[in-house]
Amino acid sequence: QENEIKLLTAEIEHLKNFGCLGVSPSLEGLRDENTKLKYRLNFLQKSLQEERSKTAKSMININSCLQEIFGAAIQAAYPDLENPPLVVTPSQQPKFGDYQCNSAMGITQILLKTKEQKVSPREIAEKISKNIPANECIEKVEIAGPGFINVHLRKDFVSKQLSSLLMNGVQPPAVGKRKKVVVDFSSPNIAKEMHVGHLRSTIIGESMCRLFEFAGYDVLRLNHLGDWGTQFGMLIAHLQDKFPDYLTVSPPIGDLQAFYKESKRRFDTEEEFKKRAYQCVVLLQSKNPDFIKAWELICDVSRKEFQKIYNCLDITLIERGESFYHEMMKDIVKEFEDKGFVQVDEGRKIVFVPGFPVPLTVMKSDGGYTYDTSDLAALKHRLCEEKADILIYVVDSGQSVHLQTVFAAGQMIGWYDPKVTRVAHAAFGVVLGEDKKKFKTRSGDTVRLIDLLEEGLKRAMDKLKDKERDKVLTAEELKAAQTSVAFGCIKYADLSHNRLNDYVFSFDKMLDDRGNTAAYLLYAFTRIRAIARLASIDEQMLRKAAREEVLILDHEKEWKLGKCILRFPEILQKILEDLLLHTLCDYLYELATTFTEFYDNCYCVEKDRQSGE
């Protein structure tokens, strides 16, 4: 933007000179061009100003600042080294300073391999330290052990950042160009109830969307419903038999799960019903209005059930099921055929993708499409129509090979370049019961998600009554506390585990107010609010103090808490890169315990025993 501003300013000067040089092109044309350029210049200057003002208010990523400083020091100390290792991490113990630069060991290895020079890491660390440029954040560096560079931050730098944070609020570092992120998550199947297996995708997907929105991205949240396919044949045939007047009277399908099981049993045991079911699929796919109506009725019943769960967990989604991509599938098959990627195998049309042993089936021998076709159509639409810069599929680990094959096929046919567009599978493990086996009911059935949420509400209320909260809260407050605790604990238990691992579902652990749980964080947060309430201090007073006074961080617990607060942008950057949200939970738990340490050692508020103030 700065370069363009310079060029435009020069261009406007150049236009002004036309008159002086005696050149007389159309004056009107000159005026138009000049106005356009001035308008563009004005827009750019304003945009740059907004960007700078946003950046000035944003939190600073201290780790990134230190990486820049040490990057420059290494470059100055060893100008001939290409891509030297740059390792800066927060120190684990206060005696080793606040951060550590551990690049010297890696540089030792490189010098030995590429230049056959044997230099000790300690010597390298000393050379790097001598070349550290002038900066506002480092107080001093010390070399420890074999070659660790311990970094001590300046207290006035940390104090200034905390005051800025208080005045401007929590503003994440600016992301530059506003990129578009498409997140595919939840994705249950129509006519089947959401079960515990959908819990992880729904919770993790929603949290990822909130993360990218918070960081300033443009996010599209998609629910890739299983709302098309051969199962609708048997469901429609069963609907016609059970509610023959469905076109005029809305059928009272109360329990869709039971309805699905009945139709499946008939499909497996009655030959005549099976034939009719196949005919129904053909009529549905040819868009017969009566069959479309039947399909819509079944979808609506499911939607209402899904929405109950989404309301409980505060989930926002745009529905875009498999049916949305149905019309595009023919073109997908043609595109792969035209580019010579399709082979015919026993009547099926298949596509082999280099590096993947199992081919994608883009068309069955009967001319029908498959999940592979609809997934390819969805991928193309998200990349080419939605113009996604980042595309994330929050789907269980079992689909890993399938999704990697689909992504590789999209790359092979030229829909995207992975260097430009990020397409990622945010995989997750399964939910286990306390016996460490797949989470099931006592009768061995899959656990219905709605039952699980209702059980959570019951357990949360029992816990609140144990703590005698019902005696101090109004009925309305008690209900709000119950839902916050129940659903907060279910979400947090999932998010606080590394999503790549399986995790054990335990209400007792979730609702425990000790350890890294939502109950503990809610307790810590409530305590902080209570201090502010008791001291009668509001945000305006705090902001005024931040503007007018210098924050002095004398006590070690105060210093520890200040640094911990300022690590937030580093955590944010890490989870935007690796999509592992448990890192944020670990950070929040560390922040809450660090605050508790501070609170226990540094009194924030005291009551006057006589006046009670």
Side-chain angles (χ1 to χ4, degrees):
Q1 281 183 340
E2 282 175 333
N3 284 341
E4 198 176 341
I5 285 170
K6 279 179 195 162
L7 289 168
L8 285 171
T9 312
E11 189 72 14
I12 290 167
E13 282 305 310
H14 176 62
L15 283 175
K16 278 184 194 166
N17 290 337
F18 262 123
C20 313
L21 299 171
V23 182
S24 55
S26 151
L27 205 58
E28 204 56 47
L30 272 181
R31 279 201 196 106
D32 282 355
E33 190 59 25
N34 199 10
T35 308
K36 266 191 240 164
L37 286 171
K38 279 185 175 167
Y39 179 79
R40 174 78 182 142
L41 182 65
N42 189 28
F43 169 77
L44 274 172
Q45 284 170 333
K46 200 173 168 194
S47 157
L48 195 63
Q49 227 169 346
E50 280 171 13
E51 199 59 43
R52 279 187 182 140
S53 137
K54 193 177 169 196
T55 305
K57 288 179 181 177
S58 297
M59 288 184 78
I60 286 178
N61 183 332
I62 295 175
N63 200 322
S64 295
C65 290
L66 292 173
Q67 284 188 25
E68 278 178 32
I69 291 164
F70 279 99
I74 293 167
Q75 177 67 37
Y78 297 97
D80 300 339
L81 277 192
E82 266 186 52
N83 300 322
L86 189 55
V87 189
V88 178
T89 57
S91 293
Q92 297 306 309
Q93 293 178 45
K95 64 178 180 183
F96 297 133
D98 305 312
Y99 283 83
Q100 275 186 335
C101 173
N102 304 334
S103 298
M105 289 61 131
I107 292 172
T108 299
Q109 299 298 322
I110 293 171
L111 289 175
L112 193 61
K113 275 182 193 162
T114 59
K115 301 190 185 305
E116 294 181 357
Q117 291 176 6
K118 203 171 180 186
V119 189
S120 78
R122 202 173 168 93
E123 201 180 313
I124 290 167
E126 279 167 4
K127 196 170 179 185
I128 293 169
S129 300
K130 281 182 187 140
N131 282 281
I132 290 173
N135 62 83
E136 60 170 357
C137 51
I138 297 176
E139 176 72 39
K140 62 174 181 176
V141 296
E142 294 166 339
I143 295 160
F148 300 113
I149 304 173
N150 294 340
V151 180
H152 296 262
L153 295 176
R154 285 174 57 164
K155 285 200 171 169
D156 60 347
F157 169 73
V158 170
S159 168
K160 191 175 147 195
Q161 298 312 315
L162 289 168
S163 295
S164 166
L165 173 60
L166 196 49
M167 286 188 287
N168 299 312
V170 182
Q171 305 269 2
V175 292
K177 174 185 166 278
R178 194 159 186 246
K179 290 185 173 179
K180 182 161 191 181
V181 183
V182 175
V183 185
D184 172 328
F185 69 106
S186 194
S187 312
N189 289 315
I190 292 289
K192 290 185 182 177
E193 282 188 291
M194 283 178 81
H195 54 77
V196 75
H198 295 110
L199 184 68
R200 299 207 75 185
S201 175
T202 306
I203 289 172
I204 296 166
E206 170 70 25
S207 298
M208 280 186 190
C209 292
R210 292 185 189 192
L211 165 70
F212 279 97
E213 283 162 353
F214 178 73
Y217 291 82
D218 174 18
V219 179
L220 177 63
R221 304 145 158 264
L222 293 184
N223 197 1
H224 190 75
L225 288 182
D227 67 351
W228 199 252
T230 49
Q231 78 272 25
F232 280 96
M234 66 181 193
L235 289 165
I236 293 169
H238 190 52
L239 182 77
Q240 288 172 332
D241 293 348
K242 206 164 178 189
F243 306 105
D245 55 354
Y246 74 89
L247 288 168
T248 50
V249 181
S250 188
I253 306 173
D255 187 346
L256 196 57
Q257 190 78 351
F259 187 85
Y260 181 88
K261 282 181 178 169
E262 283 168 26
S263 64
K264 181 84 174 84
R265 182 187 52 75
R266 290 185 68 191
F267 185 81
D268 293 339
T269 56
E270 300 173 27
E271 203 50 47
E272 196 52 44
F273 180 81
K274 193 174 190 171
K275 278 181 193 163
R276 265 183 55 223
Y278 280 129
Q279 285 166 350
C280 288
V281 174
V282 174
L283 288 162
L284 174 65
Q285 293 190 337
S286 60
K287 299 285 171 72
N288 177 301
D290 291 358
F291 287 79
I292 290 287
K293 175 85 193 282
W295 171 71
E296 283 171 349
L297 283 169
I298 293 163
C299 289
D300 281 344
V301 176
S302 269
R303 262 187 213 110
K304 282 176 189 144
E305 292 306 308
F306 297 157
Q307 199 52 49
K308 285 178 192 170
I309 284 162
Y310 295 146
N311 290 345
C312 281
L313 294 172
D314 194 15
I315 310 292
T316 310
L317 277 158
I318 289 173
E319 183 189 311
R320 204 174 275 178
E322 288 165 20
S323 60
F324 178 86
Y325 304 101
H326 190 252
E327 296 298 319
M328 306 170 200
M329 295 191 207
K330 184 174 70 181
D331 294 339
I332 293 292
V333 177
K334 187 175 184 308
E335 189 175 345
F336 275 91
E337 281 177 330
D338 290 350
K339 296 205 173 163
F341 291 126
V342 172
Q343 297 177 27
V344 179
D345 174 57
E346 295 180 356
R348 298 180 310 148
K349 290 184 177 179
I350 60 172
V351 173
F352 276 98
V353 182
F356 294 90
V358 179
L360 295 169
T361 300
V362 291
M363 190 181 271
K364 295 187 287 191
S365 53
D366 63 2
Y369 302 116
T370 67
Y371 285 128
D372 294 350
T373 333
S374 69
D375 282 342
L376 285 166
L379 179 70
K380 184 177 184 186
H381 188 269
R382 291 160 185 183
L383 291 166
C384 305
E385 300 298 319
E386 291 295 350
K387 306 268 190 290
D389 298 295
I390 300 170
L391 181 48
I392 300 165
Y393 286 71
V394 187
V395 182
D396 69 272
S397 303
Q399 298 292 318
S400 189
V401 174
H402 164 69
L403 284 173
Q404 294 307 330
T405 313
V406 170
F407 299 164
Q411 213 176 305
M412 173 177 86
I413 203 162
W415 293 339
Y416 77 103
D417 173 357
K419 291 189 188 80
V420 179
T421 308
R422 178 183 181 188
V423 180
H425 173 206
F428 55 84
V430 295
V431 181
L432 305 173
E434 297 200 51
D435 57 359
K436 305 279 197 301
K437 291 179 183 163
K438 220 169 177 183
F439 198 29
K440 301 266 186 196
T441 61
R442 285 202 179 122
S443 60
D445 290 331
T446 308
V447 179
R448 294 166 71 219
L449 196 41
I450 200 79
D451 293 345
L452 190 81
L453 298 180
E454 278 166 7
E455 175 70 11
L457 284 169
K458 183 186 161 299
R459 299 273 195 121
M461 185 56 88
D462 293 346
K463 190 89 175 170
L464 288 163
K465 284 181 175 171
D466 282 351
K467 302 263 183 190
E468 300 190 330
R469 296 284 86 200
D470 52 328
K471 291 177 182 169
V472 290
L473 298 174
T474 65
E476 208 174 293
E477 286 169 338
L478 189 65
K479 180 94 180 77
Q482 178 194 22
T483 52
S484 291
V485 171
F487 303 143
C489 287
I490 288 170
K491 284 184 179 186
Y492 193 83
D494 194 323
L495 296 169
S496 60
H497 288 87
N498 185 328
R499 64 173 164 78
L500 298 169
N501 303 334
D502 298 343
Y503 99 99
V504 175
F505 191 98
S506 159
F507 274 122
D508 292 338
K509 280 185 188 156
M510 279 177 198
L511 294 163
D512 194 342
D513 53 13
R514 293 158 305 179
N516 188 6
T517 63
Y520 174 73
L521 286 190
L522 284 166
Y523 167 71
F525 179 66
T526 309
R527 182 186 234 186
I528 295 168
R529 302 304 293 171
I531 294 167
R533 197 166 55 244
L534 204 59
S536 301
I537 285 175
D538 61 20
E539 286 188 33
Q540 298 316 112
M541 292 161 79
L542 286 172
R543 286 203 180 117
K544 186 172 184 288
R547 276 195 304 272
E548 295 171 3
E549 297 170 37
V550 176
L551 187 62
I552 295 163
L553 304 166
D554 274 347
H555 197 285
E556 59 163 328
K557 300 298 180 189
E558 217 170 12
W559 176 237
K560 185 180 178 184
L561 179 60
K563 289 183 300 177
C564 188
I565 290 169
L566 295 182
R567 278 211 353 259
F568 179 58
E570 298 168 26
I571 302 297
L572 204 57
Q573 187 184 337
K574 184 182 184 303
I575 59 179
L576 285 166
E577 285 167 6
D578 63 21
L579 307 176
L580 295 170
L581 299 171
H582 70 278
T583 309
L584 179 60
C585 299
D586 292 344
Y587 167 73
L588 290 175
Y589 179 57
E590 185 191 338
L591 187 60
T593 52
T594 306
F595 175 81
T596 305
E597 272 180 43
F598 158 75
Y599 176 78
D600 291 343
N601 287 276
C602 306
Y603 289 131
C604 304
V605 65
E606 281 185 278
K607 254 189 185 176
D608 185 300
R609 287 188 181 169
Q610 263 75 44
S611 68
E613 283 190 11

